[in-house]
């Protein structure tokens, strides 16, 4: 059974940092494109960042220069390093893995507040 488990969320002050992890129980993890999405209350889920199986990355304009997505194929894990956090980054962050099918985690809450 495929599982994606996010961790690393929490409460942080504006300007702070968090590192999210997504541990995947996936066969052929390295073939999957990995992505982070987020959903704030009352808003649609939006793509934050993605990394292809070849390592090419893509970011939403709102997080460029502040967030970094990476992957460790040996550990079947994807990461999202979030720096210079703003209150508008507050959301539930979801991990997704996509190859033939797309799989989702259950999300981790990130709250940016003083």
């Amino acid at each position: 059974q495929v599982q994606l488990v996010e961790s690393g969320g929490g409460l942080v002050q504006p300007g702070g940092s968090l590192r999210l992890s997504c541990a995947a129980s996936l066969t052929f993890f390295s073939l999957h494109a990995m992505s982070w999405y987020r959903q704030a209350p009352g808003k649609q889920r939006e793509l934050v960042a993605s990394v292809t199986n070849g390592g090419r990355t893509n970011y939403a304009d709102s997080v460029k220069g502040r967030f970094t997505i990476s992957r460790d194929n040996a550990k079947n894990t994807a990461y999202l390093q979030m720096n210079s956090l703003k209150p508008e980054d507050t959301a539930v962050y979801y991990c997704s893995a996509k190859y033939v099918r797309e799989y989702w985690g259950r999300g981790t809450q990130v709250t940016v507040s003083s």
Side-chain angles (χ1 to χ4, degrees), residues 62-68 81-86 89:
S62 59
V63 306
K64 281 181 182 176
R66 300 189 298 123
F67 290 11
T68 302
Q81 177 67 44
M82 306 186 295
N83 299 328
S84 302
L85 282 160
K86 304 176 181 180
D89 294 318

Side-chain angles (χ1 to χ4, degrees), residues 34-106:
M34 300 300 298
S35 300
W36 287 95
Y37 289 77
R38 67 186 180 187
Q39 188 167 19
K43 294 189 177 181
Q44 289 188 330
R45 189 174 296 190
E46 62 172 353
L47 176 65
V48 175
S50 62
V51 56
T52 68
N53 55 12
R56 187 166 63 249
T57 59
N58 181 57
Y59 297 93
D61 287 343
S62 59
V63 306
K64 281 181 182 176
R66 300 189 298 123
F67 290 11
T68 302
I69 189 171
S70 61
R71 63 190 298 159
D72 185 336
N73 291 336
K75 295 183 178 180
N76 277 24
T77 302
Y79 304 96
L80 185 68
Q81 177 67 44
M82 306 186 295
N83 299 328
S84 302
L85 282 160
K86 304 176 181 180
E88 51 263 44
D89 294 318
T90 295
V92 178
Y93 283 71
Y94 298 90
C95 173
S96 123
K98 186 174 182 179
Y99 181 46
V100 176
R101 292 180 54 185
E102 187 164 23
Y103 303 96
W104 292 89
R106 293 189 174 187

Side-chain angles (χ1 to χ4, degrees), residues 1 17 20-22 25 34 46 60 63 68:
Q1 183 178 355
S17 298
L20 305 184
S21 298
C22 172
S25 61
M34 300 300 298
E46 62 172 353
V63 306
T68 302

